[in-house]
Amino acid sequence: MSFPYKSALVLGATSGIGLEIAHRLVSQGVFTIVFETAASFVDTVTKNHPGLQALFLNAGVQHVMDVSKPHTVEISKLSEEININYLGVVNIFNAFLPFFQKKPASEKSAVIVTTTSLETVPYPMVFGYSASKAATRSWILSAREQLKAAGGHKINLIELYTPIVQTELHDKQPGWGPGRETGMPVKDFVTAAFEGFAAEKETVAVGEPQKAMFEEFEQKRNERTGPFWDMVKKHNPGIHQLD
């Protein structure tokens, strides 16, 4: 089974998961465009690559802080996590969405967002990172339902739900070994992720503990978001309708 899209743009591909994803796409013959996160290039990319079908939103930052030691808590770093890990995802998605919406109904597209199991059970030492990813997951659930309700061209909003992976994300963090020996090797992680992409899963959970965590805590959120919205609309016709 192979990646089900013929062309892809990978953001946050200078290292770690994004870089390995780009390598894997190229090895499968997928036309691959690689950039760091920036909104200004959207028009250029879409004009030069009108056949683009898949977008990977992969950039992320993580800072270690300890609330019991107030001097380690830096608001600027918390803001950076929210801006890149959450607002950056929403911003880039919004910028590319009109391009995908104009595609023929017969052509499917995908936006793949890298999240983490820490959005479900936060890790205390990276509470800002955990919170930013939890915000991103909440947005994914809402955006999926709105896209389905809007109809038209099919855009698959896919969540890549990750374990700890041996990448540069943890470099320079206190106590982290220089060999990145903690966590899942990035090649193994990407292999498992691509199996989920090939199966066209809505959420691709990688790592056995993480799969169990997703099924225990998050699967019901996936299933209940749409019905909850339907209930609100049924009892309040016309509520929250925007022109």
Side-chain angles (χ1 to χ4, degrees):
M1 301 175 72
S2 58
F3 189 68
Y5 304 91
K6 296 179 181 178
S7 59
L9 169 64
V10 184
L11 302 184
T14 55
S15 62
I17 292 172
L19 180 60
E20 184 60 28
I21 284 174
H23 287 321
R24 195 64 55 93
L25 289 169
V26 171
S27 72
Q28 292 191 9
V30 178
F31 182 80
T32 307
I33 311 158
V34 176
F35 277 94
E36 291 186 56
T37 302
S40 60
F41 65 86
V42 172
D43 287 341
T44 300
V45 168
T46 54
K47 288 177 182 176
N48 292 340
H49 306 284
L52 179 66
Q53 293 183 319
L55 170 63
F56 284 84
L57 301 181
N58 192 66
V61 295
Q62 182 184 97
H63 299 297
V64 176
M65 303 181 205
D66 186 342
V67 296
S68 71
K69 301 173 182 176
H71 67 279
T72 70
V73 179
E74 298 182 39
I75 299 302
S76 62
K77 290 184 176 180
L78 291 171
S79 295
E80 183 183 42
E81 289 172 322
I82 292 295
N83 287 335
I84 293 176
N85 302 344
Y86 172 49
L87 297 179
V89 169
V90 177
N91 185 33
I92 296 293
F93 178 87
N94 283 354
F96 274 96
L97 184 58
F99 166 77
F100 287 125
Q101 287 176 321
K102 292 176 183 176
K103 285 183 171 292
S106 59
E107 182 182 349
K108 62 185 176 182
S109 302
V111 178
I112 301 166
V113 182
T114 300
T115 63
T116 171
S117 60
L118 300 186
E119 68 199 18
T120 301
V121 178
Y123 181 61
M125 297 307 293
V126 293
F127 58 85
Y129 176 83
S130 302
S132 69
K133 292 295 188 175
T136 300
R137 172 154 175 75
S138 179
W139 171 82
I140 288 172
L141 293 175
S142 298
R144 275 180 184 159
E145 296 303 322
Q146 292 180 340
L147 290 172
K148 292 174 184 176
H153 173 74
K154 182 173 177 57
I155 303 168
N156 296 310
L157 184 51
I158 301 168
E159 179 180 9
L160 178 55
Y161 186 87
T162 72
I164 297 175
V165 183
Q166 296 175 10
T167 71
E168 292 86 344
L169 181 68
H170 309 289
D171 285 0
K172 299 181 181 179
Q173 290 184 349
W176 202 268
R180 305 190 187 119
E181 61 276 6
T182 302
M184 189 174 188
V186 66
K187 289 184 182 294
D188 295 345
F189 167 79
V190 171
T191 294
F194 269 69
E195 290 173 357
F197 299 151
E200 301 195 50
K201 294 183 178 180
E202 189 174 62
T203 301
V204 177
V206 177
E208 292 307 317
Q210 287 70 33
K211 288 181 182 178
M213 189 182 299
F214 176 82
E215 291 169 0
E216 181 180 359
F217 293 102
E218 300 292 353
Q219 186 61 52
K220 290 298 182 182
R221 293 179 67 193
N222 282 27
E223 296 170 358
R224 292 180 180 177
T225 303
F228 172 67
W229 190 27
D230 289 339
M231 180 191 69
V232 173
K233 290 186 290 186
K234 178 180 179 180
H235 293 286
N236 301 275
I239 191 172
H240 298 153
Q241 295 301 306
L242 302 176
D243 295 329

